[in-house]
Amino acid sequence: MLGGTRRLRTCIVGVIWHDLRMESWQRLRSPEESPQVARLRARSTVLLERLATGGDRSGTVQRLVGLPALVVQLRRIAPAATSSAWVMQPQYAYDPEEPGVALTRAARMRGIETVLMTRPNTTRTHPLLSSIYPSTLLGPVFLRALVIDGRQAIIGGPDDLSGQRTSWYTTVPDIVDAVVDLWNATLPLCEPILPKGQQPPLTDGQLDVARLLCVGHEDAEIAQLLGLPVHTVELEVKALLAELGARTRTEAVLNMRGRGVNGGWRNTWG
């Protein structure tokens, strides 16, 4: 009798385990991507393969190796924008020392249309995103790219063997047009990060405080660097902690840097 009960339990466990494995396998074999999203992914891959196999063509396509080369190119072309700067970034995390933030702010002040397109999960890795880029669009993005005025583009490629980021700068019309077409095809599948009419959670001044806090400055140092009273800085830090749901400055910095995105702290502790 006892042996039969054990065999029955083993059989039931085996059936349940088989069903769970089959369910997991079906999920893997049934991707949630719609045909429209799959086409966007394929078009992004084709464009990257075209750039990767085309070689360096002087004056048309320039390969940029390493982050310093990319930053130099960004600083060279961003101030030349006259109407629009569109950014596609599949994955994006907050970096207090990123030069693109200052370039974007300067472009907005000049009346340049600046729009970032990124995946929805970026709101976890970059909790300040809606304040820094309030015009952000969330959607299925598979290509890293910047298009200036629809005439010149920087397109991100794979890392090289040493781990350095690679990119291509180009003014070739059909390549730039391919990125613009990809942008326009992605646009209908996007949602704004902020509802219409809603203001960004943090002001530019609070973002400046956040940046300095994140690199390790104390309130008195932040006040001196920004030319503000210490009491004002304290109030801005308090507002920042409230927005980030943090109890301490250390926790605020961790949250700014995307704490818990690997399924750890936030999922465990709430």
Side-chain angles (χ1 to χ4, degrees):
M1 180 68 178
L2 183 59
T5 302
R6 286 176 177 172
R7 284 194 297 272
L8 179 60
R9 287 177 179 172
T10 302
C11 182
I12 292 173
V13 170
V15 170
I16 293 174
W17 177 243
H18 176 267
D19 289 346
L20 288 173
R21 289 181 64 186
M22 288 301 295
E23 183 181 347
S24 299
W25 178 245
Q26 289 298 327
R27 284 200 300 266
L28 289 173
R29 295 189 61 182
S30 304
E32 296 179 1
E33 286 186 4
S34 67
Q36 194 173 6
V37 172
R39 284 193 294 271
L40 292 177
R41 185 191 290 274
R43 288 172 63 178
S44 302
T45 301
V46 168
L47 180 56
L48 288 177
E49 289 175 349
R50 176 184 176 187
L51 287 164
T53 58
D56 293 344
R57 289 168 285 183
S58 179
T60 56
V61 177
Q62 176 186 354
R63 189 164 182 258
L64 308 171
V65 179
L67 190 57
L70 174 61
V71 171
V72 168
Q73 192 68 12
L74 281 172
R75 287 178 170 158
R76 186 181 72 82
I77 68 173
T82 59
S83 60
S84 63
W86 297 345
V87 181
M88 303 180 78
Q89 191 74 275
Q91 297 174 327
Y92 195 16
Y94 176 64
D95 181 354
E97 299 175 306
E98 180 195 349
V101 174
L103 292 172
T104 299
R105 185 182 293 184
R108 281 205 304 259
M109 291 178 66
R110 293 190 292 114
I112 306 301
E113 179 195 28
T114 58
V115 183
L116 168 70
M117 189 181 284
T118 188
R119 293 180 188 172
N121 195 52
T122 298
T123 57
R124 295 189 64 197
T125 59
H126 196 329
L128 303 184
L129 188 67
S130 61
S131 296
I132 297 176
Y133 300 102
S135 57
T136 293
L137 299 173
L138 304 176
V141 181
F142 304 104
L143 186 73
R144 240 181 342 112
L146 163 68
V147 180
I148 299 291
D149 296 335
R151 294 196 300 268
Q152 49 185 333
I154 294 178
I155 303 168
D159 293 348
D160 66 10
L161 291 178
S162 66
Q164 293 193 95
R165 180 182 295 184
T166 66
S167 307
W168 293 276
Y169 167 73
T170 182
T171 55
V172 176
D174 60 329
I175 297 179
V176 177
D177 289 347
V179 181
V180 173
D181 289 344
L182 189 61
W183 172 281
N184 290 330
T186 310
L187 205 55
L189 304 178
C190 291
E191 294 289 340
I193 194 171
L194 290 176
K196 187 175 181 180
Q198 181 174 323
Q199 294 300 309
L202 300 172
T203 65
D204 285 347
Q206 289 167 338
L207 291 173
D208 289 336
V209 171
R211 176 177 58 83
L212 295 173
L213 178 69
C214 202
V215 296
H217 290 293
E218 298 293 338
D219 289 357
E221 296 173 311
I222 296 174
Q224 184 177 7
L225 289 168
L226 297 180
L228 297 172
V230 175
H231 178 65
T232 300
V233 173
E234 291 173 349
L235 292 176
E236 301 290 47
V237 170
K238 185 177 180 180
L240 180 64
L241 264 62
E243 174 61 26
L244 293 169
R247 294 163 295 180
T248 65
R249 286 166 163 76
T250 300
E251 188 177 2
V253 172
L254 289 172
N255 289 351
M256 279 189 275
R257 297 291 286 158
R259 178 192 199 182
V261 296
N262 292 319
W265 181 273
R266 287 184 178 174
N267 288 346
T268 303
W269 298 99

